[in-house]
Amino acid sequence: MIKYLGSKRKLLGPIAAVFADLAPGTRVLDLFSGTSRVSQALKQQGLYVCSNDHNLYAHTIARCYIEADAQSVLPDITEILKELETTKPEPGWFTRTYCEEARFFHPDNGAIIEGMRNRIDKLDLAEPIRSIVLVALMEAADRVDSTTGLQMAYLKKWAARAHKPLQLRVPEMLNGTGSATCLDAIVAAKEFSGSAAYLDPPYNQHSYRSNYHIWETLIRWDQPEVYGVARKRIDCKTEKSDFNSRRRILSAFSDTIDSLNVDRIVVSFNNEGYLHRDEIEKILSTRGSVHTVELDHKRYVGAQIGIHNQSGKKVGAVSHLRNKELLFVVGQGAAQTAQAARSVQTNV
Ligand SMILES: C[S@@+](CC[C@H](N)C(=O)[O-])C[C@H]1O[C@@H](n2cnc3c(N)ncnc32)[C@H](O)[C@@H]1O
């Protein structure tokens, strides 16, 4: 799994607990699926999960882990990855942009990534096999990157892992099927028919397209115009989410909630985000009485490392290292399932 800001990896216990009473096969929407960690936990609980994310790299992850049925594709995947391992390095646009103009990957690995990615297109694979192979490559590249987990910047000195050779691994997929869409949240909310929805939107100005622009390019393979030290895709300037806008997030959130025709809504939000707890509770209260669960959580990696100036010198102290993740539950069974979430011990 790739390193991902806002991944709910460490909060899966309480989040899954809020859906634990639903019958097997119940349709559940994960509207902002990211790494698909939450979708995977729900799929493992026997639910039929529909994962949505508007970024193509996240959609590709959802096709791999949620849409695909492990047992029907594993033999093919293993064969294809074995064959891909024999690919020769092909240094070109990707290597120049992300390994020479910027230093996100060691050039030796960059050229291998580039060769493999070219080969994947030549293989002309059917879905979801293609997505699974792309995820295997993305995860392999993530294991040898030279960042702190965001692609806004790369490390001044190569990370130790950047010197390791790139190695493909078969993604740890799950048995069973689900579905995946790549839509704006409000469209996906309108189109969904099912029983419950989980919403984990961005909570501040930091755009996922910008934070993970190389994954978007690796999947699209479109050699976009790039800008700045981080060589970001030019469309990072225009492809903005309403949830990253202080001015628009409230109405985007409210419209999304209005668009959902489900019995239960569960929302994750951070106590340092653009929306305040009482604003979220007010919007959700149109659907019933709202039960809010507080989960103590470690802050993002930048806060753990501290504040540094451009030459890498530590220049300030971070005020606090932990914050609260809030889980809001509303609708059928909300009181009991929120209680179930509270009683799950988080280890964060
Ligand atoms: C906080 S992350 C979700 C993390 C996810 N729950 C996990 O555990 O990995 C928010 C996600 O919302 C997606 N996103 C942002 N704005 C969106 C929009 N308007 N419509 C759909 N997805 C959006 C981002 O691409 C990002 O993956």
Side-chain angles (χ1 to χ4, degrees):
M1 197 53 70
I2 56 168
K3 299 181 278 301
Y4 207 62
L5 183 76
S7 157
K8 295 298 173 286
R9 182 168 67 91
K10 294 190 171 163
L11 299 174
L12 290 178
I15 295 171
V18 184
F19 297 93
D21 62 322
L22 299 178
T26 302
R27 288 173 62 89
V28 177
L29 172 65
D30 181 3
L31 195 53
F32 301 85
S33 59
T35 59
S36 82
R37 287 266 186 192
V38 174
S39 294
Q40 289 177 48
L42 301 182
K43 183 174 171 180
Q44 275 174 308
Q45 278 181 191
L47 303 173
Y48 185 90
V49 182
C50 305
S51 307
N52 177 72
D53 199 289
H54 73 163
N55 281 318
L56 193 63
Y57 68 84
H59 173 61
T60 306
I61 292 173
R63 292 200 87 162
C64 166
Y65 288 107
I66 305 306
E67 190 180 292
D69 172 25
Q71 49 186 356
S72 52
V73 294
L74 269 177
D76 285 350
I77 296 297
T78 310
E79 273 306 298
I80 295 167
L81 294 189
K82 224 190 273 167
E83 148 134 24
L84 215 54
E85 288 276 10
T86 65
T87 307
K88 299 262 176 302
E90 272 177 35
W93 182 89
F94 184 91
T95 312
R96 193 169 59 250
T97 307
Y98 302 118
C99 312
E100 292 166 10
E101 295 170 9
R103 301 192 337 145
F104 286 102
F105 306 98
H106 191 281
D108 291 350
N109 278 327
I112 294 276
I113 294 168
E114 189 152 8
M116 288 185 176
R117 182 62 187 85
N118 286 331
R119 183 104 173 261
I120 291 171
D121 273 359
K122 286 191 196 118
L123 289 172
D124 199 19
L125 303 166
E127 287 294 354
I129 303 273
R130 180 172 184 276
S131 289
I132 299 165
V133 173
L134 286 171
V135 168
L137 178 58
M138 196 188 328
E139 291 181 346
D142 186 63
R143 286 192 289 272
V144 295
D145 76 346
S146 192
T147 73
T148 59
L150 295 175
Q151 296 169 348
M152 303 289 280
Y154 45 90
L155 297 176
K156 239 177 126 194
K157 285 192 193 146
W158 288 114
R161 63 174 175 270
H163 295 287
K164 297 199 169 144
L166 181 114
Q167 278 180 331
L168 298 174
R169 288 185 203 154
V170 176
E172 288 178 23
M173 289 172 287
L174 304 168
N175 289 338
T177 55
S179 70
T181 50
C182 188
L183 299 169
D184 189 67
I186 199 149
V187 179
K190 278 186 187 137
E191 286 187 359
F192 177 69
S193 84
S195 300
Y198 171 68
L199 281 68
D200 183 20
Y203 61 86
N204 61 19
Q205 75 278 20
H206 296 300
S207 142
Y208 280 84
R209 170 72 67 111
S210 288
N211 280 338
Y212 298 103
H213 61 97
I214 302 176
W215 299 151
E216 194 67 11
T217 298
L218 183 68
I219 300 301
R220 291 186 182 270
W221 212 231
D222 54 355
Q223 299 193 4
E225 186 185 333
V226 294
Y227 68 96
V229 178
R231 315 314 281 142
K232 284 196 229 165
R233 305 170 57 84
I234 196 80
D235 63 13
C236 292
K237 292 187 177 182
T238 49
E239 296 289 311
K240 304 257 183 199
S241 170
D242 285 346
F243 291 85
N244 292 127
S245 157
R246 190 187 279 282
R247 206 163 45 80
R248 293 194 302 276
I249 190 169
L250 190 65
S251 64
F253 181 70
S254 170
D255 291 350
T256 306
I257 296 298
D258 283 349
S259 305
L260 282 167
N261 180 16
V262 292
D263 302 328
R264 183 181 302 164
I265 298 177
V266 181
V267 177
S268 276
F269 214 73
N270 183 285
N271 71 335
E272 297 180 343
Y274 282 162
L275 292 176
H276 294 128
R277 175 177 176 154
D278 49 353
E279 291 175 310
I280 297 174
E281 287 174 344
K282 189 169 169 211
I283 290 169
L284 292 177
S285 67
T286 55
R287 311 293 286 249
S289 76
V290 183
H291 298 265
T292 305
V293 183
E294 288 187 8
L295 307 164
D296 187 39
H297 194 247
K298 216 179 193 180
R299 289 183 84 209
Y300 72 103
V301 64
Q304 309 299 323
I305 293 166
I307 302 166
H308 295 77
N309 68 13
Q310 287 198 325
S311 51
K313 204 168 152 228
K314 202 160 185 170
V315 289
V318 174
S319 58
H320 54 294
L321 292 177
R322 302 189 76 79
N323 59 16
K324 289 229 179 320
E325 270 297 316
L326 301 171
L327 202 57
F328 303 87
V329 191
V330 67
Q332 219 170 61
Q336 296 89 324
T337 56
Q339 193 47 42
R342 278 187 201 101
S343 62
V344 174
Q345 192 65 35
T346 55
N347 182 20
V348 290

